Amino acid sequence: MKAKEKRTHLRNDIFYTFDIETTTLITGTDEDGSPIREAIIWSGQFYDGKTYTQVRSLKEIIRQFEIISDENKDQAYKVACFVHNLSYEWQFMSDPSIYDFDTEEIFALDERSILKCRIGSAIEFRCSYRLTNLSLAKWGEQIGVDKAVGELDYHALYTPWSDLGEKPMHYCEQDLRVMIAGIRNYKKVYKHIKDIPFTQTGMPRRDIKNLG
């Protein structure tokens, strides 16, 4: 990753959405004989409203962060990347092997409620769940872009090496299409990415009414 510099503003011409899908595996047993469970990432998705990218492992996600950082290195401002429930993705992103976050690069309500975090001077991640206070399915209903409910078999075991069928792939992509459409609505109301509040409680009631 790039050196930790400060760029205080966000670009308004582009923003990303990011999501992961995980599977929980039993990797052994503890001293009491209870199963040890570990979550692994089997898909990571990125979408900027034009280009959709799907990768299949944590290593490839790290590489995609590096690509976005490199593409933005000559820009005066950081690029925003929205994540629906950033606190969950944070469990993986905060591994020092991905990026060694400084305290000043994290803005949280508490240790399990991350509102935003920053990778150096290039990318600022923001939590769209805290912004909307809605599930992705409810958010999609509100804006008229349906989440692909029912297209992912939650009883199936997906791994980074699984051959994904059409429905799981569509499910992954549609989540980000909901997010892109939703954040574009916020941009219409607030005009600039940097002015979108971090939480719904920071929004005047008139602005909430304009988001439907």
Side-chain angles (χ1 to χ4, degrees), residues 59-70:
K59 182 178 179 180
E60 291 176 312
I61 288 172
I62 296 170
R63 177 56 186 149
Q64 195 62 30
F65 288 160
E66 291 172 343
I67 290 171
I68 294 172
S69 295
D70 286 344

Side-chain angles (χ1 to χ4, degrees), residues 164-196:
L164 299 180
E166 181 179 343
K167 286 186 176 181
M169 292 182 69
H170 179 254
Y171 175 93
C172 293
E173 182 174 351
Q174 193 63 18
D175 277 1
L176 297 194
R177 292 190 178 277
V178 171
M179 293 169 64
I180 283 284
I183 297 301
R184 283 175 173 168
N185 279 1
Y186 279 91
K187 277 191 67 179
K188 289 178 183 177
V189 173
Y190 288 97
K191 310 306 179 186
H192 199 291
I193 288 287
K194 67 179 176 62
D195 294 322
I196 296 175

Side-chain angles (χ1 to χ4, degrees), residues 24-150:
T24 300
L25 302 177
I26 296 176
T27 58
T29 57
D30 62 19
E31 58 185 15
D32 297 323
S34 300
I36 298 173
R37 292 179 170 85
E38 181 179 354
I40 64 166
I41 295 172
W42 58 264
S43 181
Q45 302 88 246
F46 301 80
Y47 186 43
D48 65 359
K50 294 181 180 179
T51 302
Y52 173 77
T53 302
Q54 183 177 30
V55 296
R56 299 296 308 280
S57 69
L58 180 58
K59 182 178 179 180
E60 291 176 312
I61 288 172
I62 296 170
R63 177 56 186 149
Q64 195 62 30
F65 288 160
E66 291 172 343
I67 290 171
I68 294 172
S69 295
D70 286 344
E71 290 175 346
N72 201 54
K73 66 182 179 181
D74 296 325
Q75 298 291 327
Y77 304 139
K78 299 187 296 292
V79 63
C81 183
F82 289 88
V83 185
H84 208 68
N85 195 6
L86 177 57
S87 298
Y88 182 74
E89 272 76 359
W90 169 253
Q91 298 177 65
F92 300 89
M93 293 167 58
S94 59
D95 188 317
S97 66
I98 298 178
Y99 184 77
D100 189 12
F101 286 91
D102 287 339
T103 303
E104 66 178 16
E105 293 176 310
I106 308 161
F107 180 39
L109 297 177
D110 56 55
E111 64 180 9
R112 296 192 178 186
S113 184
I114 311 298
L115 292 182
K116 76 169 183 177
C117 61
R118 187 178 79 237
I119 289 184
S121 63
I123 310 173
E124 180 173 294
F125 295 89
R126 292 192 172 199
C127 183
S128 56
Y129 174 72
R130 287 293 177 178
L131 169 63
T132 62
N133 201 30
L134 294 170
S135 69
L136 208 53
K138 288 294 184 183
W139 193 13
E141 288 178 13
Q142 183 185 79
I143 62 177
V145 181
D146 291 337
K147 176 180 167 64
V149 176

